[in-house]
Amino acid sequence: MRTSLRRLTVGALVLLGAAGTATAQTGATKIDSLAIRKIYDEALARGQSYENLRELTGTIGGRLSGSPEAEKAVQWGKITLEKMGVDRVYLQEVMVPHWVRGAKEKATVKGNKGKGLTLNVCALGGSVGTNGKLRAQVVEVRSMQELAALPDEKVKGKFVFFNRPMNPLYVETGRAYGEAGDQRRSGAIEAAKRGAVGALVRSLTLAHDDFPHTGTMAYDNQVTKVPGAALSTNSADELSQLLKADAGLTVELEMACQTLPEVKSYNVVGEIKGSKYPDEIITVGGHLDSWDLAQGAHDDGTGCVQSIEVLRLLKATGLRPERTVRAVLFMNEENGTRGGNKYAELAKAANEKHIAAMESDGGGFTPRGFNVEAPEATVRRLQQWQPLFHSYGSADFSAGHAGTDIGPLKGQAKALIGYECDSQRYFDIHHTAADTFDKVNRRELELGGASMASLVYLISKYGL
């Protein structure tokens, strides 16, 4: 048991005792406990998340926004929800960016003696290509501040090599990822401002291997667009060592990526109407798009199939929600958040009343609980239900970031909730060719869907 889990659960029990009115002290708690047990039994005995994920990843694979595979995934999501017999299934049109990687990227280190060493590299999402082979010397930095301190002559005409590792001391790996992410997002901009010809970025992972990690990068229209590429951690370490021995070495980079005109795509929405309060909405979702290097299994196929499973579990157990529950498969989380923005825009235009929005986008690993973005009183109200989740290992209810796609609903929904699972392995495969179906464990995945469905059941019954 994690310390944070024990602390929060004990805190919730104290809170329940003080309030005297929480559901855990009412006769309804036994009913709720039995209902949640029913949800978990259904998920573990007859859960469909794993087989749905097998189909999504096996027949379609990577689903980058604007691609034919993304369009196939939209149709897959719509058909899958329709087969479940939910009350309504529909599509929300949204225009999305269309970036293509092109031929496999190549990068080679050239030393003074002319010998070449191959680097494991991939283009960052949204990067411009190199227009053939681009060869230049390299300057290594560990931070934006270190780059800013260099004189222009040390940077101009070179590749800037951003080689800051993720901090291994944080228990929560997402924190380390967030801190190191500026070099991927803004590295090409800052390098170009100083006259560099491109940016080479250490992959955002704590693993030491040969998989380069892609991910979105940004450009500034006021600054020249230069290529941005990710190096595997092994290649980054090797290049760093070679630079120490030969500061004049060069890297030759070849990338054929390009941005094409925007494409029409869709969010996929399925819903069960609430039996008592149909105008009050609980949204649960994941993002249907993924990067193109692999099957997009953990990121975010698992979140999509878990969201679909929430609806199936409520139907299969006969626990019809009192408030309307929507499963949303968002399009374009990885390189634009167009789907999340469109969903919030349409919800606001329709004057919809959103009670809560939940997102699963941290992989399909062992459940731990939920992160909540809401006023303190709402967080405390959710924490009153922690004892009901304790025996399932998902009772860590904490204030924290909920998710990218539901973020635009802030101010509309009373609470934004992020499904939280064990994060220690996630960034080993995140945005890489290793994000494949075989990395997902059936029981972990089905337990996650049950955790999400159980919290949705409680919010549907009691509101916030």
Side-chain angles (χ1 to χ4, degrees):
M1 183 190 299
R2 295 193 304 175
T3 302
S4 59
L5 174 66
R6 185 183 299 112
R7 182 180 67 250
L8 285 168
T9 303
V10 171
L13 290 169
V14 171
L15 180 63
L16 292 174
T21 58
T23 58
Q25 288 193 335
T26 68
T29 297
K30 290 184 179 179
I31 297 174
D32 294 333
S33 181
L34 291 172
I36 290 172
R37 180 71 260 181
K38 196 174 182 180
I39 289 171
Y40 274 88
D41 286 350
E42 172 65 25
L44 292 173
R46 290 170 291 278
Q48 294 182 13
S49 296
Y50 192 72
E51 292 308 317
N52 281 337
L53 183 64
R54 185 198 301 275
E55 183 177 357
L56 174 63
T57 57
T59 63
I60 300 174
R63 309 167 296 280
L64 189 59
S65 291
S67 69
E69 292 78 13
E71 178 56 31
K72 290 178 183 178
V74 167
Q75 295 306 314
W76 172 88
K78 183 173 182 289
I79 291 169
T80 301
L81 285 162
E82 287 173 341
K83 285 180 178 178
M84 285 173 48
V86 296
D87 296 331
R88 185 185 179 204
V89 179
Y90 57 98
L91 303 179
Q92 293 179 331
E93 182 179 314
V94 58
M95 297 300 293
V96 300
H98 187 196
W99 177 83
V100 293
R101 186 174 300 279
K104 183 175 175 57
E105 306 89 335
K106 299 177 182 178
T108 307
V109 177
K110 303 286 188 179
N112 288 334
K113 296 182 180 180
K115 294 182 179 179
L117 174 71
T118 299
L119 298 173
N120 292 297
V121 63
C122 70
L124 293 175
S127 176
V128 296
T130 57
N131 193 27
K133 296 179 180 179
L134 177 61
R135 184 170 177 177
Q137 290 186 329
V138 180
V139 57
E140 179 179 359
V141 298
R142 293 295 180 113
S143 67
M144 298 297 181
Q145 293 75 17
E146 187 175 335
L147 173 61
L150 290 175
D152 289 343
E153 61 269 20
K154 293 286 188 180
V155 181
K156 191 173 182 179
K158 297 181 180 180
F159 285 110
V160 176
F161 171 33
F162 294 92
N163 192 29
R164 184 168 82 256
M166 283 173 53
N167 191 333
L169 303 182
Y170 297 142
V171 174
E172 296 298 332
T173 56
R175 180 182 174 190
Y177 173 78
E179 283 192 2
D182 62 337
Q183 55 194 350
R184 189 192 75 195
R185 293 188 302 271
S186 306
I189 296 174
E190 298 306 317
K193 286 180 180 178
R194 305 297 305 283
V197 299
L200 304 174
V201 183
R202 183 187 184 91
S203 286
L204 301 183
T205 178
L206 291 164
H208 293 272
D209 58 30
D210 293 321
F211 289 106
H213 293 232
T214 191
T216 193
M217 59 173 287
Y219 282 121
D220 183 335
N221 289 331
Q222 305 303 313
V223 179
T224 301
K225 295 180 179 180
V226 300
L231 300 178
S232 73
T233 49
N234 281 349
S235 288
D237 289 342
E238 197 161 23
L239 178 58
S240 183
Q241 285 299 113
L242 290 172
L243 283 168
K244 289 179 174 62
D246 179 7
L249 63 75
T250 61
V251 165
E252 184 176 275
L253 179 66
E254 187 174 6
M255 303 197 309
C257 45
Q258 59 180 316
T259 298
L260 302 176
E262 292 187 349
V263 173
K264 183 191 298 183
S265 192
Y266 304 89
N267 293 328
V268 184
V269 185
E271 67 180 33
I272 298 176
K273 284 290 185 184
S275 60
K276 289 186 179 180
Y277 312 102
D279 293 334
E280 298 185 12
I281 299 165
I282 303 166
T283 291
V284 56
H287 64 86
L288 192 53
D289 63 303
S290 75
W291 286 108
D292 55 321
L293 295 177
Q295 296 176 328
H298 276 289
D299 188 21
D300 185 30
T302 55
C304 289
V305 297
Q306 286 173 327
S307 300
I308 293 171
E309 185 73 352
V310 168
L311 299 189
R312 193 197 72 81
L313 289 171
L314 294 175
K315 280 179 61 66
T317 55
L319 297 170
R320 186 171 186 92
E322 296 185 11
R323 290 164 170 84
T324 294
V325 179
R326 281 185 190 158
V328 183
L329 313 183
F330 295 98
M331 182 55 68
N332 185 230
E333 186 272 350
E334 293 292 3
N335 60 341
T337 327
R338 301 282 186 87
N341 287 328
K342 175 60 70 173
Y343 182 78
E345 174 191 322
L346 294 175
K348 186 174 183 179
N351 199 29
E352 291 180 341
K353 185 177 182 181
H354 281 257
I355 300 302
M358 180 187 298
E359 181 170 347
S360 172
D361 187 19
F365 300 104
T366 304
R368 291 291 183 253
F370 302 90
N371 289 330
V372 183
E373 290 184 52
E376 186 177 349
T378 304
V379 176
R380 289 199 302 268
R381 179 172 175 81
L382 285 162
Q383 287 176 337
Q384 292 175 348
W385 293 325
Q386 286 176 290
L388 293 169
F389 291 81
H390 181 69
S391 60
Y392 303 104
S394 55
D396 190 345
F397 287 35
S398 307
H401 176 66
T404 300
D405 280 311
I406 61 175
L409 285 170
K410 191 170 185 176
Q412 295 186 57
K414 290 185 178 180
L416 305 181
I417 302 169
Y419 165 66
E420 182 76 5
C421 58
D422 187 276
S423 67
Q424 301 311 315
R425 291 169 286 162
Y426 183 56
F427 292 105
D428 292 359
I429 61 176
H430 183 250
H431 294 180
T432 75
D435 187 8
T436 50
F437 176 74
D438 60 292
K439 306 301 192 304
V440 180
N441 176 273
R442 179 192 291 269
R443 282 186 61 85
E444 290 180 329
L445 180 66
E446 302 293 0
L447 283 168
S451 298
M452 293 163 63
S454 297
L455 185 54
V456 167
Y457 157 77
L458 290 168
I459 296 173
S460 170
K461 184 174 180 179
Y462 295 106
L464 287 178

